[in-house]
Amino acid sequence: GVSAYAVGNACIAGVTNPLILLGIGAFTGSVMGLASGALITRFHGLPQLVLSIAIGQLVGSLANKLSSWTGGSDGLSGITPGKIFGVFAFDMYSRTSYIFSLVTLAIVMVLLLRFVRSPFGLLCRGIKDDSLRALMIGASAYPRLVVMYGVSGIVAGIGGALMAINTGVVGLDSVSFERSAEVLVMLVLGGAGTLWGALAGAVIFQVFEHIVSAANPFHWMTLVGLLLILIVIFAPRGVGHGVTQLWSSFVQRRRGS
């Protein structure tokens, strides 16, 4: 959300190159991620959750108050990015927006997959599995968790930049609690701990939301809640983990035959 506002203001100020705007979004997201991560990662469990919610509410309140920068409750409009490479313009049919977002997603996923498999990423996975053992071998968890928050901020910042570029408006919904809750639902659907699970959860949620909201615009959130309950009961580790298990079983059977 903060990156979306930063990109919107930069575009209104005259910076219209979409690639530069993506860079602004990534930088703003990293700063916000490092700043919030330095506080949030000092705690665990319920205090960490409460702090995350509190920071989100604080940012939302500031966005509402700083109307000269954010447009307040009316939102920030008039965001008109230029052509990509001076050739591909953003039009009302959203073809350029779609391809631009898809290419950005592919590049980000490739970079994140390499990052996860790097020595730093493997050490962070070790801290996640057993922080005490990581501490015993001399790995300090806190600074690495802060860096991971910064990396998450970069990814979220790119998402905020894409939202501002593609829609041309930024509203308070970009920093609302509902947006954070939706992200959490996506993670639960796909499965925490894997990049592919997060991507699968996001796709499933978006497709399900559009179909259900079109069929029943007044009670679609109820159906989303029912979907989440079913996932938690029948696939507690997420759809991604279930698909991975099925694929592993299929491969083992093929090898056995």
PDB file of all heavy atoms in Angstrom, residues 104-132:
ATOM      1  N   THR A 104       6.445  -9.504 -15.177  1.00  0.00           N
ATOM      2  CA  THR A 104       7.010  -9.122 -13.883  1.00  0.00           C
ATOM      3  C   THR A 104       6.899 -10.258 -12.880  1.00  0.00           C
ATOM      4  O   THR A 104       7.848 -10.544 -12.135  1.00  0.00           O
ATOM      5  CB  THR A 104       6.294  -7.877 -13.336  1.00  0.00           C
ATOM      6  OG1 THR A 104       6.400  -6.804 -14.288  1.00  0.00           O
ATOM      7  CG2 THR A 104       6.921  -7.420 -12.020  1.00  0.00           C
ATOM      8  N   LEU A 105       5.747 -10.931 -12.864  1.00  0.00           N
ATOM      9  CA  LEU A 105       5.554 -12.067 -11.966  1.00  0.00           C
ATOM     10  C   LEU A 105       6.565 -13.166 -12.260  1.00  0.00           C
ATOM     11  O   LEU A 105       7.168 -13.736 -11.338  1.00  0.00           O
ATOM     12  CB  LEU A 105       4.131 -12.610 -12.114  1.00  0.00           C
ATOM     13  CG  LEU A 105       3.833 -13.935 -11.400  1.00  0.00           C
ATOM     14  CD1 LEU A 105       3.978 -13.788  -9.896  1.00  0.00           C
ATOM     15  CD2 LEU A 105       2.441 -14.433 -11.757  1.00  0.00           C
ATOM     16  N   ALA A 106       6.771 -13.484 -13.537  1.00  0.00           N
ATOM     17  CA  ALA A 106       7.712 -14.544 -13.908  1.00  0.00           C
ATOM     18  C   ALA A 106       9.130 -14.200 -13.460  1.00  0.00           C
ATOM     19  O   ALA A 106       9.849 -15.048 -12.909  1.00  0.00           O
ATOM     20  CB  ALA A 106       7.668 -14.773 -15.421  1.00  0.00           C
ATOM     21  N   ILE A 107       9.543 -12.956 -13.671  1.00  0.00           N
ATOM     22  CA  ILE A 107      10.893 -12.540 -13.281  1.00  0.00           C
ATOM     23  C   ILE A 107      11.053 -12.592 -11.770  1.00  0.00           C
ATOM     24  O   ILE A 107      12.068 -13.083 -11.248  1.00  0.00           O
ATOM     25  CB  ILE A 107      11.184 -11.121 -13.816  1.00  0.00           C
ATOM     26  CG1 ILE A 107      11.236 -11.132 -15.343  1.00  0.00           C
ATOM     27  CG2 ILE A 107      12.496 -10.591 -13.244  1.00  0.00           C
ATOM     28  CD1 ILE A 107      11.365  -9.757 -15.965  1.00  0.00           C
ATOM     29  N   VAL A 108      10.058 -12.105 -11.043  1.00  0.00           N
ATOM     30  CA  VAL A 108      10.124 -12.115  -9.581  1.00  0.00           C
ATOM     31  C   VAL A 108      10.176 -13.542  -9.056  1.00  0.00           C
ATOM     32  O   VAL A 108      10.947 -13.848  -8.132  1.00  0.00           O
ATOM     33  CB  VAL A 108       8.918 -11.352  -8.988  1.00  0.00           C
ATOM     34  CG1 VAL A 108       8.829 -11.575  -7.477  1.00  0.00           C
ATOM     35  CG2 VAL A 108       9.040  -9.863  -9.270  1.00  0.00           C
ATOM     36  N   MET A 109       9.383 -14.455  -9.626  1.00  0.00           N
ATOM     37  CA  MET A 109       9.394 -15.844  -9.182  1.00  0.00           C
ATOM     38  C   MET A 109      10.751 -16.498  -9.428  1.00  0.00           C
ATOM     39  O   MET A 109      11.251 -17.238  -8.570  1.00  0.00           O
ATOM     40  CB  MET A 109       8.291 -16.634  -9.890  1.00  0.00           C
ATOM     41  CG  MET A 109       6.900 -16.390  -9.346  1.00  0.00           C
ATOM     42  SD  MET A 109       6.691 -16.934  -7.633  1.00  0.00           S
ATOM     43  CE  MET A 109       6.933 -18.704  -7.783  1.00  0.00           C
ATOM     44  N   VAL A 110      11.350 -16.245 -10.570  1.00  0.00           N
ATOM     45  CA  VAL A 110      12.672 -16.816 -10.859  1.00  0.00           C
ATOM     46  C   VAL A 110      13.706 -16.307  -9.859  1.00  0.00           C
ATOM     47  O   VAL A 110      14.513 -17.082  -9.314  1.00  0.00           O
ATOM     48  CB  VAL A 110      13.094 -16.483 -12.301  1.00  0.00           C
ATOM     49  CG1 VAL A 110      14.561 -16.845 -12.532  1.00  0.00           C
ATOM     50  CG2 VAL A 110      12.213 -17.220 -13.297  1.00  0.00           C
ATOM     51  N   LEU A 111      13.694 -15.006  -9.598  1.00  0.00           N
ATOM     52  CA  LEU A 111      14.642 -14.432  -8.641  1.00  0.00           C
ATOM     53  C   LEU A 111      14.418 -14.982  -7.233  1.00  0.00           C
ATOM     54  O   LEU A 111      15.373 -15.270  -6.503  1.00  0.00           O
ATOM     55  CB  LEU A 111      14.528 -12.905  -8.647  1.00  0.00           C
ATOM     56  CG  LEU A 111      14.959 -12.197  -9.936  1.00  0.00           C
ATOM     57  CD1 LEU A 111      14.707 -10.694  -9.835  1.00  0.00           C
ATOM     58  CD2 LEU A 111      16.430 -12.470 -10.225  1.00  0.00           C
ATOM     59  N   LEU A 112      13.146 -15.119  -6.835  1.00  0.00           N
ATOM     60  CA  LEU A 112      12.852 -15.640  -5.502  1.00  0.00           C
ATOM     61  C   LEU A 112      13.250 -17.111  -5.373  1.00  0.00           C
ATOM     62  O   LEU A 112      13.740 -17.534  -4.317  1.00  0.00           O
ATOM     63  CB  LEU A 112      11.363 -15.480  -5.191  1.00  0.00           C
ATOM     64  CG  LEU A 112      10.891 -14.053  -4.897  1.00  0.00           C
ATOM     65  CD1 LEU A 112       9.386 -14.041  -4.650  1.00  0.00           C
ATOM     66  CD2 LEU A 112      11.611 -13.465  -3.693  1.00  0.00           C
ATOM     67  N   LEU A 113      13.045 -17.898  -6.419  1.00  0.00           N
ATOM     68  CA  LEU A 113      13.455 -19.299  -6.374  1.00  0.00           C
ATOM     69  C   LEU A 113      14.965 -19.420  -6.224  1.00  0.00           C
ATOM     70  O   LEU A 113      15.465 -20.278  -5.473  1.00  0.00           O
ATOM     71  CB  LEU A 113      12.981 -20.020  -7.640  1.00  0.00           C
ATOM     72  CG  LEU A 113      11.471 -20.289  -7.733  1.00  0.00           C
ATOM     73  CD1 LEU A 113      11.103 -20.800  -9.114  1.00  0.00           C
ATOM     74  CD2 LEU A 113      11.034 -21.292  -6.672  1.00  0.00           C
ATOM     75  N   ARG A 114      15.712 -18.572  -6.901  1.00  0.00           N
ATOM     76  CA  ARG A 114      17.168 -18.570  -6.749  1.00  0.00           C
ATOM     77  C   ARG A 114      17.565 -18.085  -5.357  1.00  0.00           C
ATOM     78  O   ARG A 114      18.499 -18.601  -4.745  1.00  0.00           O
ATOM     79  CB  ARG A 114      17.814 -17.683  -7.819  1.00  0.00           C
ATOM     80  CG  ARG A 114      17.685 -18.227  -9.225  1.00  0.00           C
ATOM     81  CD  ARG A 114      18.394 -17.338 -10.231  1.00  0.00           C
ATOM     82  NE  ARG A 114      19.819 -17.278  -9.963  1.00  0.00           N
ATOM     83  CZ  ARG A 114      20.715 -18.120 -10.434  1.00  0.00           C
ATOM     84  NH1 ARG A 114      20.333 -19.130 -11.203  1.00  0.00           N
ATOM     85  NH2 ARG A 114      21.996 -17.976 -10.158  1.00  0.00           N
ATOM     86  N   PHE A 115      16.830 -17.108  -4.845  1.00  0.00           N
ATOM     87  CA  PHE A 115      17.114 -16.581  -3.519  1.00  0.00           C
ATOM     88  C   PHE A 115      16.857 -17.636  -2.444  1.00  0.00           C
ATOM     89  O   PHE A 115      17.631 -17.782  -1.490  1.00  0.00           O
ATOM     90  CB  PHE A 115      16.252 -15.342  -3.265  1.00  0.00           C
ATOM     91  CG  PHE A 115      16.433 -14.743  -1.894  1.00  0.00           C
ATOM     92  CD1 PHE A 115      17.557 -14.016  -1.581  1.00  0.00           C
ATOM     93  CD2 PHE A 115      15.463 -14.928  -0.912  1.00  0.00           C
ATOM     94  CE1 PHE A 115      17.731 -13.470  -0.317  1.00  0.00           C
ATOM     95  CE2 PHE A 115      15.612 -14.388   0.343  1.00  0.00           C
ATOM     96  CZ  PHE A 115      16.752 -13.652   0.648  1.00  0.00           C
ATOM     97  N   VAL A 116      15.772 -18.395  -2.584  1.00  0.00           N
ATOM     98  CA  VAL A 116      15.437 -19.429  -1.603  1.00  0.00           C
ATOM     99  C   VAL A 116      16.508 -20.517  -1.577  1.00  0.00           C
ATOM    100  O   VAL A 116      16.822 -21.066  -0.511  1.00  0.00           O
ATOM    101  CB  VAL A 116      14.054 -20.035  -1.931  1.00  0.00           C
ATOM    102  CG1 VAL A 116      13.810 -21.306  -1.139  1.00  0.00           C
ATOM    103  CG2 VAL A 116      12.957 -19.022  -1.633  1.00  0.00           C
ATOM    104  N   ARG A 117      17.091 -20.812  -2.739  1.00  0.00           N
ATOM    105  CA  ARG A 117      18.100 -21.868  -2.816  1.00  0.00           C
ATOM    106  C   ARG A 117      19.515 -21.362  -2.537  1.00  0.00           C
ATOM    107  O   ARG A 117      20.467 -22.150  -2.577  1.00  0.00           O
ATOM    108  CB  ARG A 117      18.047 -22.517  -4.198  1.00  0.00           C
ATOM    109  CG  ARG A 117      16.726 -23.227  -4.490  1.00  0.00           C
ATOM    110  CD  ARG A 117      16.802 -24.009  -5.789  1.00  0.00           C
ATOM    111  NE  ARG A 117      15.547 -24.710  -6.054  1.00  0.00           N
ATOM    112  CZ  ARG A 117      14.605 -24.262  -6.858  1.00  0.00           C
ATOM    113  NH1 ARG A 117      14.757 -23.105  -7.479  1.00  0.00           N
ATOM    114  NH2 ARG A 117      13.498 -24.956  -7.050  1.00  0.00           N
ATOM    115  N   SER A 118      19.666 -20.069  -2.286  1.00  0.00           N
ATOM    116  CA  SER A 118      20.980 -19.506  -1.966  1.00  0.00           C
ATOM    117  C   SER A 118      21.377 -19.893  -0.546  1.00  0.00           C
ATOM    118  O   SER A 118      20.534 -20.325   0.259  1.00  0.00           O
ATOM    119  CB  SER A 118      20.938 -17.983  -2.098  1.00  0.00           C
ATOM    120  OG  SER A 118      20.111 -17.416  -1.085  1.00  0.00           O
ATOM    121  N   PRO A 119      22.669 -19.767  -0.184  1.00  0.00           N
ATOM    122  CA  PRO A 119      23.073 -20.076   1.197  1.00  0.00           C
ATOM    123  C   PRO A 119      22.293 -19.284   2.237  1.00  0.00           C
ATOM    124  O   PRO A 119      21.925 -19.823   3.285  1.00  0.00           O
ATOM    125  CB  PRO A 119      24.568 -19.697   1.199  1.00  0.00           C
ATOM    126  CG  PRO A 119      25.000 -19.888  -0.217  1.00  0.00           C
ATOM    127  CD  PRO A 119      23.825 -19.470  -1.048  1.00  0.00           C
ATOM    128  N   PHE A 120      22.017 -18.014   1.951  1.00  0.00           N
ATOM    129  CA  PHE A 120      21.246 -17.206   2.892  1.00  0.00           C
ATOM    130  C   PHE A 120      19.829 -17.747   3.028  1.00  0.00           C
ATOM    131  O   PHE A 120      19.295 -17.855   4.132  1.00  0.00           O
ATOM    132  CB  PHE A 120      21.212 -15.749   2.421  1.00  0.00           C
ATOM    133  CG  PHE A 120      20.440 -14.836   3.340  1.00  0.00           C
ATOM    134  CD1 PHE A 120      21.052 -14.282   4.446  1.00  0.00           C
ATOM    135  CD2 PHE A 120      19.102 -14.543   3.098  1.00  0.00           C
ATOM    136  CE1 PHE A 120      20.348 -13.447   5.307  1.00  0.00           C
ATOM    137  CE2 PHE A 120      18.392 -13.715   3.941  1.00  0.00           C
ATOM    138  CZ  PHE A 120      19.022 -13.162   5.052  1.00  0.00           C
ATOM    139  N   GLY A 121      19.218 -18.088   1.895  1.00  0.00           N
ATOM    140  CA  GLY A 121      17.856 -18.623   1.935  1.00  0.00           C
ATOM    141  C   GLY A 121      17.793 -19.952   2.663  1.00  0.00           C
ATOM    142  O   GLY A 121      16.855 -20.205   3.440  1.00  0.00           O
ATOM    143  N   LEU A 122      18.783 -20.832   2.442  1.00  0.00           N
ATOM    144  CA  LEU A 122      18.803 -22.114   3.131  1.00  0.00           C
ATOM    145  C   LEU A 122      18.986 -21.928   4.633  1.00  0.00           C
ATOM    146  O   LEU A 122      18.386 -22.657   5.434  1.00  0.00           O
ATOM    147  CB  LEU A 122      19.925 -22.991   2.560  1.00  0.00           C
ATOM    148  CG  LEU A 122      19.737 -23.458   1.104  1.00  0.00           C
ATOM    149  CD1 LEU A 122      20.976 -24.188   0.627  1.00  0.00           C
ATOM    150  CD2 LEU A 122      18.510 -24.353   0.980  1.00  0.00           C
ATOM    151  N   LEU A 123      19.802 -20.947   5.017  1.00  0.00           N
ATOM    152  CA  LEU A 123      19.984 -20.675   6.442  1.00  0.00           C
ATOM    153  C   LEU A 123      18.688 -20.162   7.064  1.00  0.00           C
ATOM    154  O   LEU A 123      18.338 -20.533   8.195  1.00  0.00           O
ATOM    155  CB  LEU A 123      21.109 -19.666   6.646  1.00  0.00           C
ATOM    156  CG  LEU A 123      21.443 -19.298   8.095  1.00  0.00           C
ATOM    157  CD1 LEU A 123      21.785 -20.541   8.906  1.00  0.00           C
ATOM    158  CD2 LEU A 123      22.589 -18.297   8.155  1.00  0.00           C
ATOM    159  N   CYS A 124      17.962 -19.332   6.326  1.00  0.00           N
ATOM    160  CA  CYS A 124      16.676 -18.839   6.834  1.00  0.00           C
ATOM    161  C   CYS A 124      15.673 -19.981   6.985  1.00  0.00           C
ATOM    162  O   CYS A 124      14.889 -20.002   7.946  1.00  0.00           O
ATOM    163  CB  CYS A 124      16.120 -17.768   5.894  1.00  0.00           C
ATOM    164  SG  CYS A 124      17.019 -16.197   5.965  1.00  0.00           S
ATOM    165  N   ARG A 125      15.708 -20.947   6.080  1.00  0.00           N
ATOM    166  CA  ARG A 125      14.840 -22.109   6.222  1.00  0.00           C
ATOM    167  C   ARG A 125      15.238 -22.929   7.449  1.00  0.00           C
ATOM    168  O   ARG A 125      14.380 -23.487   8.146  1.00  0.00           O
ATOM    169  CB  ARG A 125      14.917 -22.962   4.965  1.00  0.00           C
ATOM    170  CG  ARG A 125      14.281 -22.289   3.748  1.00  0.00           C
ATOM    171  CD  ARG A 125      14.524 -23.069   2.481  1.00  0.00           C
ATOM    172  NE  ARG A 125      13.861 -24.366   2.498  1.00  0.00           N
ATOM    173  CZ  ARG A 125      13.926 -25.229   1.491  1.00  0.00           C
ATOM    174  NH1 ARG A 125      14.611 -24.908   0.395  1.00  0.00           N
ATOM    175  NH2 ARG A 125      13.304 -26.380   1.574  1.00  0.00           N
ATOM    176  N   GLY A 126      16.536 -22.997   7.707  1.00  0.00           N
ATOM    177  CA  GLY A 126      16.981 -23.685   8.911  1.00  0.00           C
ATOM    178  C   GLY A 126      16.519 -22.987  10.175  1.00  0.00           C
ATOM    179  O   GLY A 126      16.119 -23.641  11.151  1.00  0.00           O
ATOM    180  N   ILE A 127      16.557 -21.651  10.169  1.00  0.00           N
ATOM    181  CA  ILE A 127      16.067 -20.888  11.325  1.00  0.00           C
ATOM    182  C   ILE A 127      14.574 -21.122  11.520  1.00  0.00           C
ATOM    183  O   ILE A 127      14.094 -21.249  12.646  1.00  0.00           O
ATOM    184  CB  ILE A 127      16.365 -19.385  11.127  1.00  0.00           C
ATOM    185  CG1 ILE A 127      17.882 -19.137  11.179  1.00  0.00           C
ATOM    186  CG2 ILE A 127      15.657 -18.539  12.172  1.00  0.00           C
ATOM    187  CD1 ILE A 127      18.281 -17.721  10.833  1.00  0.00           C
ATOM    188  N   LYS A 128      13.831 -21.201  10.416  1.00  0.00           N
ATOM    189  CA  LYS A 128      12.393 -21.460  10.498  1.00  0.00           C
ATOM    190  C   LYS A 128      12.119 -22.836  11.102  1.00  0.00           C
ATOM    191  O   LYS A 128      11.215 -22.996  11.930  1.00  0.00           O
ATOM    192  CB  LYS A 128      11.764 -21.357   9.116  1.00  0.00           C
ATOM    193  CG  LYS A 128      10.306 -21.781   9.047  1.00  0.00           C
ATOM    194  CD  LYS A 128       9.801 -21.669   7.616  1.00  0.00           C
ATOM    195  CE  LYS A 128       8.381 -22.190   7.501  1.00  0.00           C
ATOM    196  NZ  LYS A 128       8.305 -23.659   7.734  1.00  0.00           N
ATOM    197  N   ASP A 129      12.896 -23.848  10.696  1.00  0.00           N
ATOM    198  CA  ASP A 129      12.672 -25.211  11.182  1.00  0.00           C
ATOM    199  C   ASP A 129      13.101 -25.377  12.635  1.00  0.00           C
ATOM    200  O   ASP A 129      12.405 -26.031  13.418  1.00  0.00           O
ATOM    201  CB  ASP A 129      13.411 -26.207  10.295  1.00  0.00           C
ATOM    202  CG  ASP A 129      12.843 -26.256   8.882  1.00  0.00           C
ATOM    203  OD1 ASP A 129      11.656 -25.919   8.721  1.00  0.00           O
ATOM    204  OD2 ASP A 129      13.589 -26.614   7.952  1.00  0.00           O
ATOM    205  N   ASP A 130      14.258 -24.808  12.990  1.00  0.00           N
ATOM    206  CA  ASP A 130      14.767 -24.973  14.355  1.00  0.00           C
ATOM    207  C   ASP A 130      15.688 -23.796  14.668  1.00  0.00           C
ATOM    208  O   ASP A 130      16.890 -23.843  14.385  1.00  0.00           O
ATOM    209  CB  ASP A 130      15.526 -26.291  14.496  1.00  0.00           C
ATOM    210  CG  ASP A 130      15.770 -26.672  15.950  1.00  0.00           C
ATOM    211  OD1 ASP A 130      15.811 -25.752  16.796  1.00  0.00           O
ATOM    212  OD2 ASP A 130      15.921 -27.868  16.247  1.00  0.00           O
ATOM    213  N   SER A 131      15.119 -22.731  15.224  1.00  0.00           N
ATOM    214  CA  SER A 131      15.893 -21.522  15.509  1.00  0.00           C
ATOM    215  C   SER A 131      16.971 -21.768  16.570  1.00  0.00           C
ATOM    216  O   SER A 131      18.043 -21.166  16.524  1.00  0.00           O
ATOM    217  CB  SER A 131      14.961 -20.390  15.955  1.00  0.00           C
ATOM    218  OG  SER A 131      14.236 -20.776  17.113  1.00  0.00           O
ATOM    219  N   LEU A 132      16.695 -22.662  17.532  1.00  0.00           N
ATOM    220  CA  LEU A 132      17.671 -22.939  18.591  1.00  0.00           C
ATOM    221  C   LEU A 132      18.909 -23.626  18.021  1.00  0.00           C
ATOM    222  O   LEU A 132      20.045 -23.272  18.379  1.00  0.00           O
ATOM    223  CB  LEU A 132      17.040 -23.813  19.673  1.00  0.00           C
ATOM    224  CG  LEU A 132      17.942 -24.177  20.861  1.00  0.00           C
ATOM    225  CD1 LEU A 132      18.430 -22.917  21.563  1.00  0.00           C
ATOM    226  CD2 LEU A 132      17.208 -25.086  21.838  1.00  0.00           C
TER     227      LEU A 132
END
